[in-house]
């Protein structure tokens, strides 16, 4: 019994660390941040048929949803990525819209 308690304590710490990794992988700051509409370099009009968009890291995109919009700067560090934009749309998107974001080749290390 005395050997099981330290083992259970170590297992608890390990599982807590894994839970932290999972939550940080879905942290929207890794993908970018909200931006002012005037900074947008691209505009995407989201229709009911729009299921996904293809972007490049560094893009600043204004998403137009009906008569409202939100702007997102894909200036994060976690690319390539597939991002559900409904998670960062402040409630404007009522359904998933996947943004497939590739790493910007301009920022790739030279080999």
């Amino acid at each position: 019994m005395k050997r099981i308690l330290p083992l259970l304590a170590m297992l608890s710490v390990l599982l807590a660390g894994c839970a932290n990794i999972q939550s940080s992988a879905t942290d929207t700051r890794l993908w970018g941040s909200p931006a002012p509409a005037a900074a947008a370099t691209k505009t995407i009009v989201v229709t009911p048929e729009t299921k996904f968009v293809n972007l490049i890291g560094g893009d600043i995109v204004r998403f137009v949803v009906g008569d409202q919009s939100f702007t997102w700067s894909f200036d994060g560090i976690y690319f390539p990525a597939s991002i559900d934009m409904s998670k960062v749309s402040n409630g404007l998107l009522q359904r998933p819209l996947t943004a497939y974001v590739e790493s910007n080749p301009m920022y790739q290390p030279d080999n």
Side-chain angles (χ1 to χ4, degrees):
M1 185 69 175
K2 290 181 181 181
R3 291 183 184 184
I4 291 176
L5 289 176
L7 182 61
L8 288 175
M10 287 178 20
L11 185 60
S12 310
V13 171
L14 179 64
L15 289 175
C18 290
N20 189 27
I21 291 170
Q22 176 62 26
S23 67
S24 67
T26 57
D27 188 347
T28 59
R29 293 174 296 177
L30 295 175
W31 305 327
S33 58
T41 56
K42 294 182 178 180
T43 298
I44 296 175
V45 177
V46 179
T47 66
E49 292 78 30
T50 308
K51 306 287 186 238
F52 66 92
V53 294
N54 292 312
L55 301 168
I56 296 173
D59 285 344
I60 304 172
V61 182
R62 180 174 172 247
F63 293 89
V64 178
V65 184
D67 61 346
Q68 297 181 321
S69 67
F70 70 97
T71 306
W72 189 262
S73 175
F74 293 90
D75 59 355
I77 60 169
Y78 193 69
F79 301 122
S82 72
I83 304 164
D84 180 0
M85 294 308 296
S86 68
K87 295 184 186 303
V88 297
S89 71
N90 293 324
L92 285 179
L93 289 171
Q94 300 299 316
R95 61 178 179 79
L97 171 66
T98 305
Y100 295 105
V101 186
E102 291 298 321
S103 299
N104 190 326
M106 208 166 76
Y107 303 116
Q108 298 298 314
D110 294 331
N111 291 330

